[in-house]
Amino acid sequence: MAYTSLKSAPKAFDQHKRLIVVQVAAVVAIVLLLFSKPSLSEGSNGHELMETVGFGLVLICFLGRLWSILYVGGRKNDELIVSGPFSMTRNPLYFFSTIGAVGIGLMFGSVLAAAALGLASFLVFRFTARREAEFLAGKFGAAYTAYAERTPRFWPNPLLYQDQDQWVVSTGALKSTFRDGLYFLALFPLIETVEYFRAAGVLPTLFTVY
């Protein structure tokens, strides 16, 4: 019976498709950044506060993704990971990435951009998570069903946290996640540079984003 369930399991979701969607969204966000300005004047207390909160969220995203990959790196479709961040939510990587997307919008100084980026990320990751859940349910059967019943799909529940004493870490996956996370952090100096050129009149402002 176990053999039959394994053979009938759906094919694992192609992560490259998700990455393409995320990359396209990033390009759109950069274009928005180049030719628009936030409603709050740059340098104002409100704008600076929003930038600080945004950077904090991006930092949480960076550290949260590293933490998650310590547990799942290289084994996502081979083992059922239920410890650490995966004991609180079935999709900690997607959760932290969505937080990072919201943070990027806030670093730009726009609540609307933060909401749009956060919603877009949530929808993309929700679709991906559903496809992955189908694969894992087919592969791990009752074990995954029990895990899914006690663990939220997206929003973490800290009260469910559990861990184990030792864990094997994939250094390759950790390096890859660290490199990807640097793109999030690199947006902060990029945004500051764009703001400088916009204030100097080098970049045109086509519209305002609230």
Side-chain angles (χ1 to χ4, degrees):
M1 179 65 93
Y3 176 79
T4 302
S5 298
L6 178 59
K7 294 296 288 184
S8 62
K11 183 179 179 181
F13 185 73
D14 186 356
Q15 295 293 327
H16 294 294
K17 295 178 181 179
R18 173 181 61 80
L19 291 175
I20 290 174
V21 173
V22 173
Q23 289 168 356
V24 170
V27 171
V28 172
I30 291 173
V31 172
L32 175 69
L33 169 67
L34 288 176
F35 301 106
S36 64
K37 69 174 184 178
S39 58
L40 290 174
S41 60
E42 294 162 359
S44 66
N45 291 336
H47 183 85
E48 294 301 315
L49 176 60
M50 198 173 294
E51 273 192 346
T52 301
V53 173
F55 182 74
L57 292 180
V58 169
L59 188 59
I60 290 174
C61 164
F62 177 68
L63 296 176
R65 285 179 56 81
L66 284 178
W67 180 38
S68 300
I69 213 69
L70 287 174
Y71 288 80
V72 76
R75 299 184 295 272
K76 190 167 188 177
N77 294 321
D78 300 321
E79 298 180 28
L80 183 59
I81 311 299
V82 299
S83 300
F86 289 87
S87 65
M88 300 185 295
T89 168
R90 283 177 273 162
N91 298 284
L93 283 164
Y94 298 158
F95 171 75
F96 286 117
S97 295
T98 301
I99 285 180
V102 173
I104 291 171
L106 292 179
M107 281 199 301
F108 178 63
S110 168
V111 174
L112 180 60
L117 289 173
L119 179 60
S121 299
F122 175 78
L123 292 177
V124 170
F125 293 137
R126 182 179 177 83
F127 171 76
T128 308
R130 185 182 298 116
R131 293 289 300 275
E132 289 180 347
E134 293 174 357
F135 170 78
L136 294 172
K139 183 168 186 176
F140 298 106
Y144 180 79
T145 300
Y147 169 63
E149 288 177 350
R150 69 175 184 268
T151 311
R153 175 186 293 179
F154 189 78
W155 301 106
N157 181 356
L159 298 178
L160 298 176
Y161 183 79
Q162 58 180 355
D163 210 340
Q164 56 191 70
D165 295 333
Q166 295 182 338
W167 199 257
V168 178
V169 177
S170 169
T171 55
L174 190 61
K175 290 178 181 178
S176 177
T177 302
F178 182 82
R179 184 177 60 250
D180 293 342
L182 291 180
Y183 290 114
F184 280 95
L185 296 179
L187 286 172
F188 185 71
L190 173 62
I191 290 173
E192 292 297 314
T193 302
V194 169
E195 289 180 353
Y196 172 80
F197 283 121
R198 185 163 50 230
V202 177
L203 290 175
T205 300
L206 303 182
F207 52 91
T208 299
V209 180
Y210 291 90

